[in-house]
């Protein structure tokens, strides 16, 4: 049942909200080493490598999702740094449009990664890679997002991207 305000039809709040578009969300964490290389993880369930992170669950904030994914994938309980990237991702590969957040995980040393255990078997290995080496392991979209994230970390800013590419 709609109500009338000044001659126009207004939907009840529940009906209006039910008709709103939904976007998928994901959150990841950029860890770097002193040489500027980025930490990549090798998933057991797909061929391309990733940064630690994953899908944001229902009723979960992107920052909570990023912390949860780091704990699940690497067994680390670490506070997140600031937001580096907000990336609007176009629909692709049967996936709907989405928004990806990348947070700063800070600078690690090699021993942090050498001593990591993979608690649930989702991740097979992890290591530091240059951006050029990363481009050979990750999807092009993530490679572009990684370049934007590293630039944001170095410059101390947060950047907006569309499908991995910096805006402006």
């Amino acid at each position: 049942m709609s109500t009338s305000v000044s001659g126009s039809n207004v939907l009840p709040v529940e009906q209006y909200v039910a008709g709103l578009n939904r976007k998928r969300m994901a959150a990841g964490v950029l860890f770097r080493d002193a040489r500027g290389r980025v930490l990549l993880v090798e998933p057991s369930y797909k061929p391309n490598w990733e940064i630690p992170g994953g899908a944001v669950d229902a009723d979960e904030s992107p920052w909570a999702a990023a912390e949860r994914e780091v704990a699940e994938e690497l067994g680390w309980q670490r506070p997140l740094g600031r937001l580096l990237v907000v990336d609007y991702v176009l629909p692709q590969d049967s996936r709907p449009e989405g928004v990806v957040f990348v947070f700063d995980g800070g600078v690690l040393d090699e021993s942090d990664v050498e001593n990591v255990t993979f608690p649930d078997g989702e991740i097979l290995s992890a290591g530091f890679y240059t951006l050029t080496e990363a481009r050979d392991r990750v999807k092009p979209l993530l490679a572009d997002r990684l370049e934007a994230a590293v630039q944001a970390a170095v410059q101390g800013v947060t950047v907006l991207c569309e499908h991995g590419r910096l805006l402006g």
Side-chain angles (χ1 to χ4, degrees):
M1 177 176 184
S2 62
T3 58
S4 180
V5 177
S6 303
S8 65
N9 289 332
V10 177
L11 295 173
V13 172
E14 298 81 15
Q15 190 176 352
Y16 171 75
V17 171
L20 291 175
N21 290 326
R22 304 279 187 241
K23 289 183 179 24
R24 64 187 170 94
M25 288 193 298
V29 182
L30 176 72
F31 292 103
R32 295 167 291 136
D33 70 2
R35 295 173 33 201
R37 298 178 302 169
V38 298
L39 180 69
L40 297 180
V41 295
E42 178 186 14
S44 60
Y45 55 90
K46 62 182 175 180
N48 52 294
W49 293 48
E50 298 282 348
I51 60 173
V56 177
D57 291 340
D59 300 320
E60 182 180 44
S61 69
W63 43 92
E67 287 179 339
R68 174 182 52 76
E69 288 286 345
V70 167
E72 288 175 5
E73 294 177 357
L74 300 171
W76 294 343
Q77 300 291 327
R78 294 175 183 256
L80 294 179
R82 63 187 178 72
L83 178 64
L84 297 174
V85 175
V86 177
D87 188 7
Y88 168 73
V89 180
L90 301 166
Q92 65 174 17
D93 301 331
S94 75
R95 294 180 183 181
E97 67 181 340
V99 180
V100 179
F101 301 86
V102 179
F103 296 92
D104 194 351
V107 177
L108 305 174
D109 60 43
E110 199 69 43
S111 66
D112 291 315
V113 177
E114 289 170 356
N115 297 326
V116 72
T117 59
F118 306 108
D120 64 6
E122 182 180 334
I123 302 301
L124 299 174
S125 67
F128 289 109
Y129 297 91
T130 66
L131 288 174
T132 300
E133 293 167 335
R135 194 165 281 281
D136 292 335
R137 287 175 170 76
V138 303
K139 286 187 173 183
L141 173 61
L142 178 55
D144 292 342
R145 187 180 302 128
L146 277 172
E147 288 182 14
V150 168
Q151 181 179 341
V154 169
Q155 294 178 352
V157 298
T158 299
V159 297
L160 301 176
C161 293
E162 189 163 315
H163 213 69
R165 305 249 179 208
L166 282 170
L167 290 179

